[in-house]
Every structure is written in C-alpha cells, then in structure tokens.
Amino acid sequence: MSVPAHLKYTAEHEWLDLDGDIATIGITAFAADALGDVVYVDLPATGTIVTAGEACGEIESTKSVSDLFAPVDGEVVETNEAVASEPGVLNTDPFQSGWLFRLKVSDLGELLDAAAYESLIGGE
C-alpha cells in the first residue's frame, strides 16, 4: 500500500503535506481502502478554527460513516469542492486529487513520519 515518504501522518489515517504554515490534508490509501466506496464527504467550512483530534467533518461510505478529524490546530483556508461533488476520488486518488482541505497551521503537535505510519498499519 502506498505511503509517500514526503508526507506526515496521524494515527487516524490522515496525511498532511506541509508547505510553510499551510497543510494540505487528506485520508490515506489505507483508510480509503478500509472505508470502501466513499459516497459522501462533509468538509469543514472555510474560516473554521479546528483543534487537533476533534471531529470537523464526515466521510460516508457504503460500509460506514466516519468522523473526519482535524490532524493539527489551525484555520481552514480552502476546501476541495471537487471531492465534495465526486467523493469516489478518495478511493481512486487519495494522495493527489483526493485532498480534503487546507489549514493555516497554528500548532503541529506530534505527527508520524512515513516509516512510523507504515509500522502502524502493519507494513502493508
């Protein structure tokens, strides 16, 4: 399973691509595979202040409804409306066109590197 080395990860199976104080956030291929076919995505509104570990949206699949957690503290500065209108892209391209939202980060907290995340998911 793909775990790009340049990204940071959370134990909740989210990835972050950091560019200065802006983080692009999505769910990992492992999470997308576990969810099954994603049919609906509820993203936080632009301007929303989020706190790491708190739910800020939902991802609904044919198997379940899962909370989307904020991976770090910050303010939502952009959402991926293409994912909201075509949620299946999370299954087909979770690390590129399947990004969910961008945050202006106020506190990164503790994140996993690719090796630690691979260890978490059992090296799949």
Side-chain angles (χ1 to χ4, degrees), residues 17-32:
D17 187 5
L18 296 167
D19 182 13
D21 64 349
I22 301 296
T24 301
I25 295 155
I27 63 168
T28 65
F30 178 85

Side-chain angles (χ1 to χ4, degrees), residues 78 91 101 105:
E78 185 178 359
N91 296 109
F101 58 97
V105 177

